[in-house]
Amino acid sequence: MDFKKTLVLNAIGLKSANDSPDRDPENFTIYGTVDGKEITLKEVKGESFSDRFETKIYYFDNGKSVAATGIHLKINKIKNLSAERVQLCEIQAYF
């Protein structure tokens, strides 16, 4: 997700989709673009969504807001490795 201008982000929210828990992200990294460089904002391991359409909010590792021109999500592992793809309902940016 790229922004037209620099925005101050406080957190990112991910909402699980409606069908298969096997396609939920388990290990992932949230990156931000700051001054043209990609930086790690949050690394998550062993995540689990209890319900469908559940939103989890991830505050950045430094505990502070970040002025960024974009955010990127890299999914390293989904719940069930036999699932062919990850599925999320929403990615929310909290300003």
Side-chain angles (χ1 to χ4, degrees):
M1 178 181 336
D2 292 314
F3 310 133
K4 294 183 184 205
K5 62 181 183 176
T6 300
L7 299 172
V8 178
L9 297 171
N10 297 305
I12 298 297
L14 301 179
K15 184 184 266 189
S16 62
N18 65 338
D19 62 350
S20 177
D22 287 350
R23 298 192 317 188
D24 288 348
E26 181 175 358
N27 299 335
F28 55 92
T29 305
I30 300 168
Y31 296 96
T33 305
V34 178
D35 296 329
K37 298 177 186 173
E38 189 172 81
I39 64 166
T40 300
L41 299 175
K42 183 76 175 176
E43 289 190 60
V44 179
K45 294 185 179 181
E47 184 59 271
S48 182
F49 290 84
S50 316
D51 296 311
R52 302 298 82 212
F53 298 114
E54 176 183 3
T55 299
K56 295 212 173 198
I57 300 172
Y58 303 95
Y59 294 92
F60 305 138
D61 287 336
N62 67 2
K64 299 178 182 175
S65 299
V66 175
T69 55
I71 56 167
H72 309 278
L73 178 66
K74 179 181 178 186
I75 308 292
N76 302 316
K77 181 182 175 193
I78 56 177
K79 282 288 178 197
N80 184 343
L81 294 178
S82 66
E84 293 181 8
R85 57 186 70 93
V86 69
Q87 182 175 343
L88 290 167
C89 178
E90 277 181 16
I91 299 174
Q92 304 162 345
Y94 291 86
F95 302 102

